[in-house]
Amino acid sequence: MKFGCQTYTWQMSAERYAGRIDHILSVVAAAGMRGIEAEICMMGGFYDDPDRMHRELERTGLKLGALCLVLDWRNEDETEDERREADKAFAYLRHFPGTLLALGQMAGADRTDLRRRQANAISCFNAVGRRAVDRGIVCAFHPNSPAGSVFRTREDYAVLLDGLDSDAVGLAPDAGHIAKGGMEAVEMFQSFAPLVRHVHFKDTAADGGWTEMGCGTIDFPAIVAVLREADYDGWIMIEDESPRAEADPDAVTLANGRYVHERLIS
């Protein structure tokens, strides 16, 4: 297992950090993490110049553990624009062998027409995943929990797992989004451990809001134990969405690094 950071921690204050991957990498390295998962919208010129990204990774001793592609995927088939964006991500990842492509869907305004929207999304995920397999790229879908997400409850996860082509698309569960969807995180990780290809950790407070890692209700050591038992050897990406992270993502990342080393690694 390898621990890293997801750039959404900085994306919440994107006006200060968008395009500053060099800064983010320096903070992640100082926190003692091993890599990052980069949201494409945060990469700026680093997405146009993979050599530049390689230089910064080498400077900091980190890996690009995952690239995150977030699109609408509302139709039964990929739109031309969606296919173009996925193809651009595939081309970028040719420069970073072994980097996972994490798929995220933009949440809608509500959950109307739920079953059709779920079926359309799954069809698109499978199409992207199969094209990724042809290029030697591993894909995983990351469910989220906003009110308009179509994969946020236990029933939604059952539909998702029943429809995904597991040869092409794995699961990238997020402990915080699982809790926000009304599920118990440890139990859910136990139930779908064989399908997990990528992991996100963030914490939730008792009142349902986001909080700093280790300050909330989620038993991260127990989840790590479940993953170890399942011989999981992929990435666990820390993605803090707490109010403090929005105000000072650098300080929260350093604190999360201490938590990871004190409670999850040692």
Side-chain angles (χ1 to χ4, degrees):
M1 258 181 290
K2 304 171 288 288
F3 287 88
C5 294
Q6 221 275 1
T7 58
Y8 192 84
T9 304
W10 291 267
Q11 188 176 328
M12 293 187 296
S13 44
E15 70 283 354
R16 288 183 284 156
Y17 295 103
R20 297 182 61 194
I21 290 293
D22 49 347
H23 171 83
I24 293 171
L25 288 170
S26 294
V27 176
V28 171
M33 303 296 195
R34 294 176 60 183
I36 68 163
E37 176 182 335
E39 296 261 4
I40 290 172
C41 64
M42 289 294 289
M43 295 184 70
F46 290 92
Y47 194 50
D48 299 317
D49 187 352
D51 289 338
R52 185 183 178 198
M53 185 68 169
H54 269 296
R55 289 193 296 271
E56 286 300 316
L57 291 168
E58 184 175 358
R59 176 183 67 83
T60 53
L62 299 176
K63 298 289 186 183
L64 181 60
L67 182 71
C68 187
L69 177 67
V70 181
L71 295 172
D72 286 329
W73 288 308
R74 297 281 190 268
N75 303 294
E76 185 176 354
D77 299 308
E78 296 170 89
T79 66
E80 288 186 12
D81 285 345
E82 288 167 349
R83 188 179 180 94
R84 187 179 305 113
E85 289 300 316
D87 286 345
K88 185 175 180 180
F90 296 154
Y92 189 78
L93 291 180
R94 283 204 303 265
H95 301 274
F96 301 92
T99 296
L100 178 137
L101 182 61
L103 308 179
Q105 186 182 29
M106 293 292 294
D110 54 43
R111 283 165 55 87
T112 57
D113 200 13
L114 181 62
R115 291 294 177 251
R116 183 187 65 82
R117 288 166 61 189
Q118 288 175 332
N120 286 354
I122 291 169
S123 175
C124 290
F125 303 154
N126 286 340
V128 174
R130 288 165 186 151
R131 289 192 291 120
V133 167
D134 291 341
R135 293 159 174 81
I137 297 169
V138 175
C139 266
F141 173 63
H142 170 260
N144 55 28
S145 62
S149 169
V150 298
F151 298 109
R152 68 185 308 268
T153 69
R154 184 184 295 270
E155 293 77 15
D156 299 334
Y157 277 59
V159 170
L160 175 67
L161 296 179
D162 184 58
L164 280 182
D165 178 353
S166 59
D167 291 329
V169 187
L171 192 63
D174 182 308
H177 285 308
I178 288 170
K180 285 267 195 174
M183 297 165 278
E184 204 287 320
V186 177
E187 175 194 344
M188 291 301 288
F189 271 86
Q190 288 171 329
S191 68
F192 49 57
L195 301 173
V196 173
R197 294 187 183 175
H198 193 63
V199 172
H200 281 193
F201 275 1
K202 54 179 166 277
D203 214 344
T204 55
D207 65 2
W210 299 119
T211 190
E212 296 160 53
M213 192 173 188
C215 298
T217 61
I218 295 178
D219 190 345
F220 295 110
I223 297 173
V224 168
V226 168
L227 292 170
R228 285 198 179 111
E229 180 67 22
D231 294 324
Y232 176 72
D233 62 357
W235 286 93
I236 296 176
M237 294 294 182
I238 311 304
E239 183 186 25
D240 199 310
E241 294 192 31
S242 66
R244 186 184 172 206
E246 185 171 3
D248 192 348
D250 294 353
V252 163
T253 297
L254 295 174
N256 288 340
R258 290 190 292 272
Y259 175 88
V260 165
H261 283 274
E262 292 171 3
R263 298 292 309 280
L264 304 183
I265 293 178
S266 59

